[in-house]
Amino acid sequence: MDDPEFREFVQARYTDLLRTAYLLTGDRDAAQDLVHEALLKVMRHWRRVDEPMAYVRRAMVNERTSRWRRIGLRELLTSTVPDRVGPDSTDGVAVRDELLAALDRLPVRMRTVLVLRYWEDLPEAEVAAVMDCSLGTVKSQAARGLARLREVLAAPRPRVAGGLLGERA
């Protein structure tokens, strides 16, 4: 299929979609795969899509949920950050990394609600529609997720020889 309208949409919104996917997955490569899978599914139905951004978000959430169910707890979570190209000493990056690490510790559904509600700034009703759940579920998951994030971010990190976990000497 070579639809110029679909191509324009992808070119205009790819970065936004990739950011959302990264927040949902916590991994750059998985985020790219998630966006590509969702766009492939949306492309088949492009002519019937009224709200493309909402439709693609819904496809990404569904795909992420399906992958999580297939993989389950077989994903390997580590406490060390992978090597980076160069050191980044800005406070903003450290805060963002800490927040992303805290998001990684939340269940997928809770994380999805927080990403769509607060990062994507979607109204609760739209989050409920994207996730195919009730408004009450979105509200309770958001409240519990924020409380859990506060706990995780307030908890002292364990010390190991040489400093905090993931810290370089």
Side-chain angles (χ1 to χ4, degrees):
M1 172 183 164
D2 190 24
D3 187 336
E5 193 176 308
F6 180 74
R7 186 182 310 256
E8 284 178 33
F9 170 78
V10 172
Q11 288 173 342
R13 301 306 299 251
Y14 185 79
T15 304
D16 296 332
L17 293 170
L18 190 58
R19 182 191 67 224
T20 300
Y22 179 77
L23 292 168
L24 291 172
T25 63
D27 180 75
R28 187 173 304 151
D29 294 328
Q32 288 176 338
D33 291 345
L34 184 63
V35 170
H36 293 166
E37 287 294 320
L39 287 173
L40 282 172
K41 290 179 181 180
V42 170
M43 184 174 64
R44 294 182 210 140
H45 307 286
W46 182 250
R47 290 287 173 206
R48 296 184 301 238
V49 174
D50 293 329
E51 295 289 331
M53 199 60 186
Y55 196 87
V56 175
R57 276 191 196 115
R58 175 69 180 264
M60 287 192 318
V61 167
N62 289 345
E63 180 65 22
R64 173 64 178 140
T65 302
S66 295
R67 284 184 187 180
W68 177 77
R69 286 183 179 144
R70 281 192 307 266
I71 294 172
L73 297 175
R74 291 180 291 190
E75 289 185 27
L76 177 63
L77 302 177
T78 65
S79 61
T80 57
V81 179
D83 290 336
R84 305 277 181 201
V85 174
D88 191 349
S89 60
T90 61
D91 288 338
V93 172
V95 169
R96 188 194 76 221
D97 284 347
E98 190 174 357
L99 180 59
L100 289 174
L103 276 172
D104 275 342
R105 296 176 64 187
L106 298 179
V108 172
R109 188 176 181 115
M110 199 175 281
R111 177 185 180 137
T112 302
V113 166
L114 292 179
V115 167
L116 294 176
R117 180 70 181 103
Y118 299 107
W119 194 277
E120 290 294 317
D121 201 27
L122 296 179
E124 291 168 336
E126 195 169 333
V127 173
V130 167
M131 294 184 63
D132 196 27
C133 64
S134 71
L135 187 61
T137 298
V138 170
K139 290 179 179 183
S140 67
Q141 289 290 305
R144 289 182 188 135
L146 290 173
R148 187 89 80 41
L149 274 180
R150 285 185 198 104
E151 289 172 12
V152 169
L153 292 172
R157 294 189 293 191
R159 292 202 165 273
V160 295
L164 294 174
L165 285 177
E167 216 177 70
R168 297 189 182 209

